[in-house]
Amino acid sequence: MLKALYAAILALLALPAAAQGWPSHPIQLINPYPAGSTTDLLARALAPGLSARLGQPVVVVNRDGAAGSVGVAAVARAVPDGYTLTFTATTPLIVNPMLRGDLGYSRDSLEGICQTYDHAFALIVRPDSPLRDLPGLLEAARDKGNLQFGHLGIGSIQHLAGVSLAQAAGVELEPVTYRGDGAVVVDVQAGRVDFGITVAAFAVSQPVRTIALFAAERSPAFPGVPTVKELGYEVSAASYGGVLAPAGLPAAIKARLEAACAGAVTDEAYLAMARRTLQPSQPYLGAAAFAARMREDAAGKAALLRRIGLLQ
């Protein structure tokens, strides 16, 4: 134990000198979501641009589990030397520590380098579902007593969106947890749950029907599909993210990463993936603006969790 602590202290003391020659070997970009997820696609589109600007390979590694907390915890424990980063939505960092005290990290364990995406979410049903629109779905919930919906874990944006909608509409909606959007779609198609809430970009290519969007505005990818807010329900479902690092990253390394990120999001490979995943036209935020958004979002999410009874 003392030996490990001593090694960690020596590593931290060596950081300022190491920053001068950084990076000297490959960088690991941990994605705390499954391979093939929307976040995974964006991470893999961004990595080549980062590599080109930093002069070292940036390797995307999937470490999913516990609604993103497994991968985020691994990065939070890493030495802040710029070689272990995460590409994640902010939910595991902001919401999960509010709900659980055994994660091994807090919101202050990571610091934002750059925001590169901002997701919308889709409320999906199977193609032949009798639930044709959101008003009909909510009416069915009132008549039946409750409906089941698939989501990505307690405290995930999908979960918070569904529970908030139920509260706003005064109905019972029973959440059912899955490990990824793909698993949600499979059970929606099979009729094992009444509906699902997934990242909107994922729903576009799936054999499901989208009946409402959790988004600030309508999407051209879903002609004629209204937003939940448009239908009269003030439900927030903001999920945004990008590159984050363990807290304590040397300023020189942070500045290089931020500059590399600002360039990489302008590469056509990333822009093409951003279009494919239905990103807004200007999702990028630098480190300072990203940090400010996370602070504001943390306050809003805490209020939401209290309102729906998940936080005292």
Side-chain angles (χ1 to χ4, degrees):
M1 185 69 158
L2 288 174
K3 187 176 180 181
L5 179 61
Y6 181 64
I9 292 172
L10 288 178
L12 288 171
L13 291 174
L15 282 178
Q20 297 177 13
W22 184 89
S24 60
H25 58 80
I27 297 164
Q28 188 172 227
L29 188 62
I30 293 178
N31 170 25
Y33 298 104
S37 63
T38 304
T39 305
D40 184 60
L41 296 175
L42 288 165
R44 294 180 188 281
L46 186 71
L50 294 176
S51 299
R53 289 165 176 83
L54 296 173
Q56 288 289 341
V58 175
V59 182
V60 177
V61 177
N62 297 91
R63 294 193 65 176
D64 65 299
S69 293
V70 171
V72 169
V75 177
R77 291 192 298 265
V79 175
D81 57 7
Y83 290 106
T84 304
L85 310 170
T86 183
F87 187 87
T88 180
T90 58
T91 306
L93 179 62
I94 291 175
V95 176
N96 294 6
M98 294 181 189
L99 300 177
R100 295 180 55 182
D102 61 348
L103 297 177
Y105 67 87
S106 70
R107 184 167 64 88
D108 296 327
S109 297
L110 299 181
E111 55 186 283
I113 303 299
C114 58
Q115 175 187 300
T116 68
Y117 65 89
D118 200 340
H119 291 319
F121 290 84
L123 195 159
I124 61 171
V125 297
R126 70 179 191 270
D128 62 344
S129 172
L131 306 174
R132 305 300 302 178
D133 51 30
L134 184 60
L137 183 151
L138 296 175
E139 187 60 36
R142 292 187 186 96
D143 292 342
K144 183 179 177 181
N146 75 323
L147 295 179
Q148 291 185 322
F149 73 95
H151 65 91
L152 266 60
I154 300 299
S156 68
I157 294 300
Q158 293 92 324
H159 172 251
L160 296 180
V163 174
S164 298
L165 176 62
Q167 185 182 66
V171 300
E172 292 290 329
L173 299 175
E174 181 183 345
V176 180
T177 299
Y178 293 87
R179 285 192 66 176
D181 285 333
V184 173
V185 166
V186 167
D187 272 16
V188 167
Q189 289 177 295
R192 286 186 281 269
V193 290
D194 298 290
F195 69 97
I197 298 174
T198 71
V199 173
F202 187 83
V204 171
S205 60
Q206 302 300 313
V208 293
R209 182 156 44 85
T210 296
I211 62 174
L213 292 175
F214 293 92
E217 57 188 25
R218 290 195 182 200
S219 169
F222 297 93
V225 176
T227 68
V228 172
K229 285 188 177 181
E230 183 182 335
L231 294 170
Y233 300 100
E234 289 294 324
V235 176
S236 174
S239 178
Y240 58 96
V243 179
L244 297 99
L249 192 67
I253 293 179
K254 185 173 183 178
R256 283 204 63 191
L257 279 169
E258 185 179 4
C261 193
V265 296
T266 67
D267 290 348
E268 181 52 37
Y270 190 77
L271 291 173
M273 186 56 69
R275 290 190 293 269
R276 177 179 164 189
T277 56
L278 310 185
Q279 298 305 312
S281 58
Q282 297 293 333
Y284 180 82
L285 293 177
F290 192 17
R293 182 175 186 184
M294 285 192 284
R295 286 193 299 271
E296 181 179 353
D297 188 39
K301 288 294 195 304
L304 170 61
L305 291 171
R306 289 190 188 96
R307 195 163 63 246
I308 62 178
L310 290 178
L311 189 65
Q312 299 303 311

